[in-house]
Amino acid sequence: MDWTRPSTTGIREGTRALRSLGRRRAAVAAGIAAVLAGTLAGPVSASPAAGDPTPAECPTNLTGKATCYTGQDSNGAHYAIAVPKDWNRSLVVHAHGGPDLGAESDPDRSTGDLERWAVMVDEGYAWAGSSYRRGGYGTRMAAADTENLRRLFVEEFGTPKRTYVHGQSWGGNVAAKVVETYGARRHGPYDGALLTNGVLAGGSRGYDYRVDLRVVYQYYCGNHPRPTEPRYPLWEGLRAGSTMTSAGLRARLQECTGFESPALERTAVQQRNLDDILAVTNLPERTLESHLRFATFTFRDIVHNRLGGRNPFSNEGVRYSGSHDDKALNAGVERFAADATAVRDLSYDSDITGRVAIPVLTLHAIDDPTAFVEHEAAYRDSLRGAHRERNLVQTFTREREHSGLSTAEYANSIATLATWVRTGRKPTPASTAASCAAFDAEYGTGCFYAPEFRPGSYASRVNARPGGLRWPAMTASQERSWSRVDGVGIAP
């Protein structure tokens, strides 16, 4: 979406009083913060934004409802902010999914997300979303950019009465990292977290099913790479210098499986390849291509751009099953072991310790075809392993999408979380489902909760690696120990 900045002075003058009041309040808050500096749970990588937010046109679904701003912080991260006309004095800080793979921060990402999550503003919350300082993988980087934006908001508009962090998809991983890094103490800056369709198993285990897809696909298709092309280990996703595009990858997938063709137009070999790949990997046919893109281009980013060519992935000890000939598959599939330092760095960057000190509400589609609902089991077990499960409520819906759930459910979820924070009364999946009807009366998008549903273990969906059954994948003591190692993790 292309936003234009208005040239008239009227809009700027219309926001001057709000920002002036915010700065006065921020100045008082800064004095208090100087005394209570230890209450922030963790440092950000750099100071907040150097420049002021600039008034901007709101997306059309917020026209007349809010005042909107865009800007770029001192780390280069573009952001968007919306303050509703009837502000309830609470703030939702949003962490977007992906990761996007562009080299620079994309301003369209934050403005597009504001349009997409306008329901939060409709419900009276101020909203702030960062595009992050660059594309590519980096969970702690994205968490730091999210926290930087929260601080910028406080500096410009004053301290909200309550602050919530929301993460969708990979942004759920980012938001969960924000909770543990910046909201880990009793008086941290965040009051609660909403994680929707989150990738919550972390990086060191959360992509194992895509590792399996990468090797199983190559076993059956043999065209990624082709025998005539330079060879590389499949854990790289794609060799560093390759010029392959998404369209080129799609053509190879079509060549091997006919996935874009009606079933009656596929050859017998294509159909058997497709059947075997789907059966072995437990992936839905409708998202097979997107998973293979991730296991190609995002893996390349992780390995070559973030880990210096080291391998964080393993499929040693995995027995693949469900094909027409499991014995031949297991004998012929490519095997590899991970580099221990690469696993450490990916784990430190993205794995969850479970050390959660604030209310966390999750919402997940049972048939999410991208971030399987079993990610919720990994998150539950991580908090349980850290003895913090009391701070978690998980809700599930019968929906089948990943990128967007019912608007009524999002409105219900943020209201449920806010009530929990305000009253201290922990909701249940049943009470959350019951309260949705009032929001559906306004939004009319449906309520599809399944209060009795509980996902199976992560290992019930994804082949566990040796030692991969215990959660959390990274303990708090491991995190502390690794943090003392020079250069650990993924650089911003």
Side-chain angles (χ1 to χ4, degrees):
M1 178 179 178
D2 184 18
W3 280 14
T4 58
R5 295 178 176 176
S7 58
T8 63
T9 59
I11 293 179
R12 291 183 182 274
E13 299 212 351
T15 63
R16 187 173 297 159
L18 174 62
R19 290 173 60 185
S20 176
L21 175 62
R23 287 195 181 98
R24 289 198 297 272
R25 290 176 174 171
V28 175
I32 297 172
V35 178
L36 301 176
T39 61
L40 289 177
V44 289
S45 60
S47 62
D52 289 341
T54 301
E57 295 283 357
C58 287
T60 55
N61 55 354
L62 288 177
T63 299
K65 300 178 182 179
T67 307
C68 297
Y69 307 84
T70 57
Q72 189 172 18
D73 74 15
S74 58
N75 290 323
H78 288 276
Y79 61 83
I81 291 172
V83 180
K85 302 294 186 184
D86 188 15
W87 184 20
N88 64 12
R89 305 304 303 176
S90 290
L91 169 67
V92 173
V93 185
H94 173 75
H96 76 70
D100 301 331
L101 296 181
E104 307 295 331
S105 181
D106 179 6
D108 290 339
R109 183 63 196 240
S110 54
T111 55
D113 280 351
L114 174 54
E115 180 177 31
R116 179 180 173 193
W117 301 106
V119 61
M120 303 296 184
V121 184
D122 287 336
E123 290 299 308
Y125 297 86
W127 187 96
S130 172
S131 293
Y132 312 146
R133 71 191 72 177
R134 61 160 172 79
Y137 203 85
T139 309
R140 285 183 183 268
M141 172 206 70
D145 290 341
T146 301
E147 167 62 4
N148 281 343
L149 181 54
R150 184 201 65 80
R151 295 187 182 192
L152 182 149
F153 184 95
V154 170
E155 179 180 302
E156 292 293 323
F157 304 107
T159 303
K161 189 173 182 180
R162 295 182 182 88
T163 301
Y164 307 99
V165 61
H166 168 237
Q168 167 85 12
S169 188
W170 178 61
N173 191 178
V174 174
K177 187 63 72 175
V178 168
V179 168
E180 295 187 358
T181 306
Y182 305 105
R185 299 180 183 177
R186 184 177 179 183
H187 301 293
Y190 295 93
D191 297 284
L194 174 62
L195 312 179
T196 56
N197 279 2
V199 179
L200 299 174
S204 73
R205 298 178 187 172
Y207 306 126
D208 282 345
Y209 54 94
R210 287 165 171 159
V211 174
D212 293 339
L213 170 62
R214 190 68 182 83
V215 299
V216 170
Y217 175 87
Q218 183 64 6
Y219 172 79
Y220 287 110
C221 298
N223 65 2
H224 186 26
R226 300 184 189 278
T228 56
E229 294 174 327
R231 309 295 294 177
Y232 54 88
L234 297 180
W235 49 262
E236 291 186 8
L238 190 64
R239 63 186 178 88
S242 174
T243 58
M244 178 184 283
T245 63
S246 293
L249 180 62
R250 185 185 311 117
R252 296 187 189 211
L253 179 59
Q254 170 67 11
E255 171 191 297
C256 176
T257 68
F259 82 108
E260 291 184 304
S261 303
L264 291 177
E265 295 180 11
R266 296 170 187 154
T267 68
V269 172
Q270 286 177 327
Q271 188 64 59
R272 191 174 75 172
N273 287 342
L274 182 61
D275 290 344
D276 278 343
I277 291 169
L278 297 178
V280 174
T281 61
N282 286 318
L283 292 172
E285 183 174 340
R286 63 193 172 112
T287 53
L288 177 61
E289 180 192 355
S290 65
H291 285 293
L292 189 59
R293 281 201 310 269
F294 193 104
T296 299
F297 302 109
T298 306
F299 277 16
R300 176 172 65 176
D301 176 73
I302 291 172
V303 169
H304 292 291
N305 297 335
R306 313 302 159 203
L307 296 176
R310 292 171 296 147
N311 173 25
F313 304 123
S314 171
N315 66 341
E316 283 194 327
V318 174
R319 186 181 185 281
Y320 297 105
S321 61
S323 72
H324 75 278
D325 189 343
D326 289 347
K327 183 177 180 180
L329 170 63
N330 282 281
V333 75
E334 183 175 319
R335 304 277 181 177
F336 38 80
D339 177 282
T341 65
V343 174
R344 177 204 63 194
D345 288 352
L346 183 58
S347 179
Y348 180 77
D349 181 75
S350 59
D351 282 344
I352 302 305
T353 68
R355 296 281 292 179
V356 170
I358 61 176
V360 176
L361 177 68
T362 72
L363 174 68
H364 213 118
I366 293 171
D367 289 324
D368 183 339
T370 299
F372 302 144
V373 72
E374 287 80 9
H375 276 272
E376 295 287 342
Y379 193 62
R380 175 197 64 206
D381 290 345
S382 294
L383 269 65
R384 182 177 293 160
H387 308 291
R388 298 297 179 89
E389 191 180 11
R390 66 185 178 276
N391 295 320
L392 176 66
V393 173
Q394 294 176 300
T395 63
F396 303 94
T397 79
R398 295 183 297 277
E399 289 159 286
R400 303 181 65 248
E401 299 305 321
H402 172 69
S403 295
L405 302 177
S406 165
T407 300
E409 291 170 352
Y410 287 125
N412 181 52
S413 294
I414 193 64
T416 298
L417 176 63
T419 300
W420 181 9
V421 167
R422 188 179 67 253
T423 66
R425 292 194 296 271
K426 185 177 180 179
T428 65
S431 69
T432 304
S435 63
C436 184
F439 294 95
D440 194 43
E442 178 179 355
Y443 293 104
T445 55
C447 298
F448 306 99
Y449 288 95
E452 303 304 318
F453 178 80
R454 296 293 181 274
S457 68
Y458 190 68
S460 71
R461 182 67 178 264
V462 181
N463 291 310
R465 276 53 178 166
L469 295 176
R470 180 175 295 179
W471 298 89
M474 173 181 65
T475 65
S477 61
Q478 279 178 317
E479 183 180 42
R480 285 192 298 271
S481 174
W482 287 342
S483 70
R484 301 185 186 103
V485 178
D486 240 8
V488 73
I490 290 176

